[in-house]
Amino acid sequence: GWCYLAPDEDQWVYFYSLNLTTGVTFRNKTQYTFYEKSVLRKMPGKPLIYSTCRGLSPSGLQIIDIANGRAKDSIPKWHEETGFNIWLTHDGTKIIAGDKEVHKTPAYTTESFIQDLPETGKFEIPRSFLQCIDYNSQLSCFFVVGTDSWYMAENSETIFQVNEISYVPEKMIKATPYPGVINNVAYPDMDISFVFSNTDGTKLLAVKNVQTDMYLNVWALEIFELPLQ
């Protein structure tokens, strides 16, 4: 098998492919391609990785071909703002960007720089960015948490159940506040960083921490019953 790596620091760096059998690491020849802490998303059922840069504007979209195990050196880039994060839909036909926009998933190309990435929709939730997304095929919906910060969960206490076609919220539920007093604050809200639903569509799990402005690590897991009422 293979593992693919984008470096944790420095502004313009190389992309790496690690052969897990031999332990040999290969560095792409293409320099100035990746920014530190780039997000990597594997395309379901295809040997492609979609990536966006964090901390760069526009954050862009890149595609890495891994059909031969070791990544190809030719990595195309779309000059498009993504809100510093991306998710691929379950069927791989669309890209959901951190700025809430939805785009048709582009195919791999050997062109090095492309301007156009048309928008096909937008998640209509009352936050500036998307923090996390989970799709449930049993309920045919997305579970979405928004944030007012591009790099962390902020004002992220609410989970929205979003229509998979219109991207409009249909139901919502709020995480339970911290059960007591901490740092002289009574029952502070808890921001959700990750959300997951089970395949049967009966449970929704939220990984949460006390509100961001408290700067504490007080994590918890909350489980909700589905479908939401």
Side-chain angles (χ1 to χ4, degrees):
W2 290 82
C3 179
Y4 302 96
L5 309 167
D8 188 53
E9 60 182 19
D10 213 347
Q11 294 187 356
W12 291 111
V13 289
Y14 295 95
F15 184 76
Y16 292 84
S17 305
L18 170 62
N19 188 312
L20 297 176
T21 302
T22 65
V24 176
T25 300
F26 299 91
R27 187 181 75 176
N28 271 39
K29 295 177 182 178
T30 307
Q31 195 180 8
Y32 309 122
T33 300
F34 276 83
Y35 204 83
E36 61 187 19
K37 298 178 175 65
S38 287
V39 175
L40 307 178
R41 305 289 188 189
K42 172 69 170 58
M43 166 66 77
K46 292 185 179 180
L48 296 171
I49 293 174
Y50 287 72
S51 173
T52 192
C53 299
R54 295 183 68 84
L56 185 67
S57 184
S59 39
L61 177 72
Q62 297 154 291
I63 307 178
I64 305 101
D65 187 330
I66 56 171
N68 297 322
R70 178 180 177 178
K72 288 186 178 179
D73 284 316
S74 179
I75 300 177
K77 181 180 177 67
W78 279 258
H79 192 69
E80 177 75 30
E81 183 55 67
T82 65
F84 312 107
N85 210 338
I86 56 169
W87 296 266
L88 292 159
T89 55
H90 63 288
D91 58 5
T93 60
K94 295 183 180 66
I95 289 176
I96 302 167
D99 59 6
K100 304 190 291 186
E101 292 186 359
V102 182
H103 304 272
K104 181 180 178 182
T105 304
Y108 178 79
T109 176
T110 54
E111 293 183 50
S112 60
F113 190 83
I114 306 116
Q115 290 281 357
D116 191 33
L117 189 65
E119 178 186 336
T120 62
K122 189 169 185 176
F123 277 73
E124 302 295 336
I125 66 168
R127 293 291 181 268
S128 301
F129 300 94
L130 301 180
Q131 170 64 28
C132 55
I133 294 177
D134 183 74
Y135 177 76
N136 190 278
S137 58
Q138 186 69 30
L139 300 175
S140 301
C141 69
F142 294 97
F143 292 103
V144 179
V145 176
T147 176
D148 287 326
S149 169
W150 65 265
Y151 62 94
M152 63 181 180
E154 183 178 293
N155 299 323
S156 303
E157 69 282 351
T158 303
I159 303 171
F160 298 92
Q161 181 175 322
V162 176
N163 185 286
E164 67 172 339
I165 298 173
S166 67
Y167 308 120
V168 173
E170 296 179 330
K171 299 177 183 179
M172 65 181 71
I173 193 166
K174 188 174 179 179
T176 305
Y178 180 80
V181 178
I182 185 169
N183 276 15
N184 297 317
V185 178
Y187 307 104
D189 284 336
M190 300 196 75
D191 287 325
I192 299 168
S193 290
F194 305 99
V195 65
F196 309 95
S197 61
N198 66 348
T199 54
D200 294 335
T202 59
K203 301 288 183 183
L204 183 63
L205 286 70
V207 180
K208 60 184 186 176
N209 189 18
V210 290
Q211 61 193 47
T212 303
D213 57 8
M214 298 188 73
Y215 302 102
L216 295 172
N217 283 313
V218 184
W219 293 87
L221 175 67
E222 185 166 4
I223 301 176
F224 302 94
E225 297 293 325
L226 292 176
L228 297 179
Q229 302 301 312

